[in-house]
Amino acid sequence: MKYITTPIYYVNDKPHIGHAYTSIAADVIARFYRIFERTENVMFLTGTDEHGQKVQKSAEKLNINTQDFCNEISSQFRNLKDTLNLSYNYFIRTTDENHKQTVLKMWQLLEEKGYIYKSFYKGWYSQKDEAFIPDNEVNDGKDQNGNSLEFLKEESYFFKLSAFQDKLLNFYKSHPDFIKPSSYMKEVVSFVKSGLKDLSISRTSFTWGIPVTKDPKHVIYVWLDALCNYISAINYLGSDPSKIEYSEHAKEYWDESIHLLGKDILKFHAVYWPAFLIAADINPPKRLFVHGWWTVDGQKMSKSLGNTVDPIQIVNKYGCDEFRYFLFKESNFGYDCNFSENGFVDKINYDLCNDYGNLVHRVLTLANKVAINGIFKLSRSFDLSKNIDSEISSKTIKLKETLKKYINDGLLTEYLKAVFDIISIANKYVNTTEPWKLIKTDLQKFNDVISELIKVIIDISIFLYPFIPESAKKALSFVGISEINENVLNTIYEGLPLEKPTPIFNKIDNKKVNNG
RNA sequence: GGUCCUGUAGUUCAGUGGUUAGAACACUCCGCUCAUAACGGAGGUGUCGUAGGUUCAAGUCCUGCCAGGACCA
């Protein structure tokens, strides 16, 4: 069982490259696991976060019904499935009825265990910013810009987060791989060590949220609401709204859960979420894969600079697989990275067209020359395990275990490097064996070389499939393979029906970059 | 103000104490011609931000500083 999630995206913002990055990363991991696991054993979840004051205000501003507003933006995120070729199994919305039930059950659990109490949220409130201003920025009832503030005392429910400092620290210590890359773990530990305050988990200042059952003028804090999506999507607390019943099936998924998230929401996932779960006697998720942010041409992406990268536009202009590949080949997954359109075009042209695409094309063109009735009969040397003295065979054989390790550790960039290392060796192998000469001088040797290369191409295409699904399928279709699973790696092929290859990727003219 | 990250070849980045610091792209030359003028080989460039310190040994650890960035209050 594997359970991969993206954060649920807040409907107050439209899809941008950050959303695309997280979603595609999750998709890559899900697709990889599906090669080796039964499809139904891999659950990939995404969705939208729809409650909160900002959403309510945005809808009011546009003078439309709040739910209608959510439906509209939520569908934009749902449509990313087609644009980015995402393979999620379930799209959750926090306005879904079964999600609301789960959140209320969670509240009930936290309350029963004695971790919720009612008190007052006090502080200086700025009407202008619609937010509480921290005490150290307040002077004589005015903020740093001299705007007058109002001292508010709002009734609120609190979660006893302060009781979880040691429990969290113990958890981190006993689960050193909880957060990847590990540098983010240091950040979290030092945050928790610095002390935790109880957390306000209800609001009375607006209504767009899930009302507390016994005290409906309070709506539940958006983050408590939102984080619960990870367990409501698998019905961890049961589907019957009237009672809590733990599902064994859900637990199997939960024990293998991987949350993907950007570094901006690390605290919520690494501190609050485990605290809520521990409080409710539920295990924290297995892994958090944290990633960095994209800059554009060295500058921070922002609406005011007008340099935001619209993933939909890029995909339409250059293609989906091209975009998916670039995101992980260019970045060092986990850390900040820079987007430049020129860099993008270079990666597509050099890696995808020249190295991988051309390898497939040149080898299959050669194979076609000797195919009889469209069938290429493989010689014994297609079985890579029998060619361990050959560099390319021995490395390809080892690749599977290496890649599994990389995926388990969230090393997506390393993964691509390892595969392209094989591609480079394969191209070298073609050059040194010179099959275009062998075809005239030594047909047996020619068949051996091409057979080995075809097998390598099949394997690396399977391994590239999670990143570039449509292109990998196209490459495999040239040799009559339409299934994507582990069997393809293990099957001993006698002969393969060949199609005349066509280019998998089209080279991008550099001029296109500036001319739109 | 606190915490954290980054600063390495012209560019984008690897390199989490140990031989002459690496890759890709760009550049030059050579080979090959099966392939989308694609592929392969050879060539060299770095005050590893800066100033100290620890060590037999530091890009790698520690401290100060400079520059850029993120999160939080």
Side-chain angles (χ1 to χ4, degrees):
Chain A
M1 296 283 190
K2 298 287 175 188
Y3 182 33
I4 297 107
T5 70
T6 73
I8 45 175
Y9 302 122
Y10 201 42
V11 293
N12 209 41
D13 196 7
K14 287 185 175 173
H16 55 66
I17 192 172
H19 301 116
Y21 191 45
T22 321
S23 289
I24 294 172
D27 189 61
V28 166
I29 294 167
R31 284 180 191 269
F32 180 84
Y33 284 135
R34 285 197 204 102
I35 295 174
F36 300 100
E37 302 246 1
R38 297 160 66 93
T39 315
E40 64 270 26
N41 286 351
V42 178
M43 168 87 178
F44 170 19
L45 173 74
T46 189
T48 44
D49 178 12
E50 307 185 11
H51 289 134
Q53 187 169 29
K54 281 184 187 168
V55 176
Q56 189 176 343
K57 294 261 182 198
S58 296
E60 277 168 9
K61 222 181 225 171
L62 296 167
N63 199 23
I64 53 177
N65 174 281
T66 314
Q67 186 64 57
D68 291 343
F69 174 80
C70 291
N71 292 349
E72 163 57 25
I73 310 283
S74 179
S75 73
Q76 289 184 21
F77 281 100
R78 190 186 291 260
N79 290 343
L80 287 180
K81 177 168 196 159
D82 296 328
T83 316
L84 303 177
N85 200 4
L86 305 176
S87 63
Y88 55 78
N89 307 80
Y90 190 55
F91 189 96
I92 193 170
R93 303 180 56 184
T94 52
T95 50
D96 288 344
E97 202 48 45
N98 72 328
H99 170 75
K100 292 181 188 172
Q101 296 304 337
T102 298
V103 175
L104 292 173
K105 285 178 189 176
M106 190 70 180
W107 183 281
Q108 187 192 328
L109 281 172
L110 299 180
E111 199 163 42
E112 280 171 9
K113 312 267 181 194
Y115 290 119
I116 290 181
Y117 65 92
K118 197 173 184 177
S119 180
F120 291 93
Y121 192 80
K122 290 174 283 194
W124 291 95
Y125 186 80
S126 160
Q127 288 290 349
K128 189 166 165 275
D129 298 339
E130 295 173 16
F132 283 93
I133 306 295
D135 287 350
N136 60 351
E137 286 180 18
V138 178
N139 251 326
D140 264 349
K142 290 182 178 176
D143 71 10
Q144 289 172 325
N145 301 322
N147 300 308
S148 42
L149 302 170
E150 199 179 344
F151 194 80
L152 284 188
K153 194 173 165 189
E154 186 184 317
E155 190 180 83
S156 173
Y157 285 93
F158 283 81
F159 172 72
K160 282 189 188 167
L161 184 63
S162 57
F164 287 86
Q165 185 164 346
D166 290 340
K167 285 176 187 162
L168 285 169
L169 290 172
N170 285 336
F171 172 72
Y172 301 142
K173 205 172 177 184
S174 56
H175 297 79
D177 289 330
F178 176 53
I179 303 172
K180 290 279 178 184
S182 53
S183 57
Y184 291 109
M185 179 66 108
K186 284 199 293 188
E187 203 172 314
V188 169
V189 168
S190 75
F191 173 77
V192 173
K193 274 187 179 162
S194 74
L196 297 173
K197 285 184 194 160
D198 289 350
L199 191 66
S200 164
I201 51 166
S202 79
R203 296 290 140 84
T204 54
S205 53
F206 60 95
T207 55
W208 186 243
I210 302 172
V212 175
T213 312
K214 293 178 196 159
D215 196 353
K217 71 172 188 286
H218 287 263
V219 295
I220 296 173
Y221 174 52
V222 283
W223 271 104
L224 175 55
D225 172 353
L227 288 163
C228 286
N229 91 86
Y230 300 128
I231 57 169
S232 63
I234 51 174
N235 273 324
Y236 193 97
L237 300 178
S239 47
D240 184 341
S242 66
K243 61 176 187 241
I244 292 171
E245 40 186 9
Y246 295 96
S247 147
E248 269 309 309
H249 189 59
K251 196 171 177 306
E252 286 179 42
Y253 283 113
W254 187 246
D255 287 343
E256 291 295 327
S257 51
I258 300 171
H259 295 332
L260 278 99
L261 51 132
K263 64 181 187 178
D264 52 321
I265 51 175
L266 176 59
K267 188 180 70 179
F268 301 100
H269 286 79
V271 182
Y272 298 171
W273 182 224
F276 293 149
L277 289 167
I278 292 168
D281 268 336
I282 301 172
N283 286 330
K286 184 181 179 188
R287 284 279 165 89
L288 305 181
F289 285 168
V290 184
H291 65 73
W293 284 70
W294 284 88
T295 56
V296 179
D297 296 324
Q299 283 188 307
K300 191 184 170 182
M301 211 183 301
S302 80
K303 283 177 194 163
S304 55
L305 284 170
N307 64 348
T308 54
V309 174
D310 179 356
I312 297 166
Q313 225 171 18
I314 296 281
V315 167
N316 289 339
K317 193 167 167 187
Y318 298 114
C320 179
D321 281 357
E322 284 82 351
F323 180 58
R324 291 172 58 108
Y325 173 78
F326 169 80
L327 288 181
F328 301 98
K329 189 59 192 275
E330 180 74 358
S331 72
N332 182 18
F333 187 67
Y335 304 93
D336 287 359
C337 41
N338 183 49
F339 183 94
S340 91
E341 208 158 330
N342 284 310
F344 177 92
V345 169
D346 284 351
K347 284 282 184 297
I348 301 317
N349 284 346
Y350 299 118
D351 294 358
L352 292 180
C353 299
N354 295 354
D355 292 345
Y356 173 60
N358 186 54
L359 173 68
V360 173
H361 201 263
R362 70 197 298 210
V363 169
L364 295 185
T365 303
L366 286 163
N368 260 291
K369 290 179 196 285
V370 299
I372 299 162
N373 295 329
I375 302 286
F376 179 78
K377 199 166 179 305
L378 290 135
S379 64
R380 280 215 324 262
S381 67
F382 66 88
D383 189 349
L384 300 180
S385 59
K386 292 190 174 131
N387 295 310
I388 43 171
D389 53 330
S390 130
E391 186 189 10
I392 183 168
S393 289
S394 65
K395 285 205 171 176
T396 307
I397 285 289
K398 284 180 201 148
L399 195 56
K400 186 170 86 178
E401 294 311 315
T402 309
L403 297 182
K404 276 188 176 173
K405 215 176 289 170
Y406 286 156
I407 290 285
N408 287 335
D409 287 336
L411 297 170
L412 301 187
T413 307
E414 293 298 321
Y415 180 114
L416 282 176
K417 275 188 189 155
V419 177
F420 272 80
D421 188 37
I422 304 285
I423 290 170
S424 165
I425 294 168
N427 271 318
K428 220 170 287 187
Y429 185 67
V430 177
N431 279 39
T432 49
T433 53
E434 300 185 308
W436 55 90
K437 285 183 183 166
L438 291 174
I439 197 170
K440 295 173 195 153
T441 58
D442 186 346
L443 209 52
Q444 181 56 48
K445 176 83 173 139
F446 173 85
N447 254 27
D448 288 350
V449 168
I450 296 298
S451 297
E452 191 175 1
L453 283 165
I454 286 181
K455 180 56 182 155
V456 169
I457 286 172
I458 290 172
D459 283 20
I460 58 178
S461 296
I462 290 286
F463 292 131
L464 285 177
Y465 166 81
F467 289 87
I468 50 171
E470 297 311 313
S471 309
K473 275 197 243 172
K474 185 170 179 183
L476 290 165
S477 76
F478 294 147
V479 292
I481 293 172
S482 56
E483 298 296 310
I484 306 290
N485 55 46
E486 194 173 11
N487 291 337
V488 175
L489 300 173
N490 300 333
T491 303
I492 303 294
Y493 299 94
E494 301 263 318
L496 289 165
L498 288 192
E499 260 179 50
K500 198 162 182 261
T502 53
I504 304 173
F505 303 96
N506 296 312
K507 291 199 82 162
I508 300 164
D509 187 346
N510 271 303
K511 287 175 197 147
K512 202 173 163 185
V513 174
N514 300 318
N515 299 340

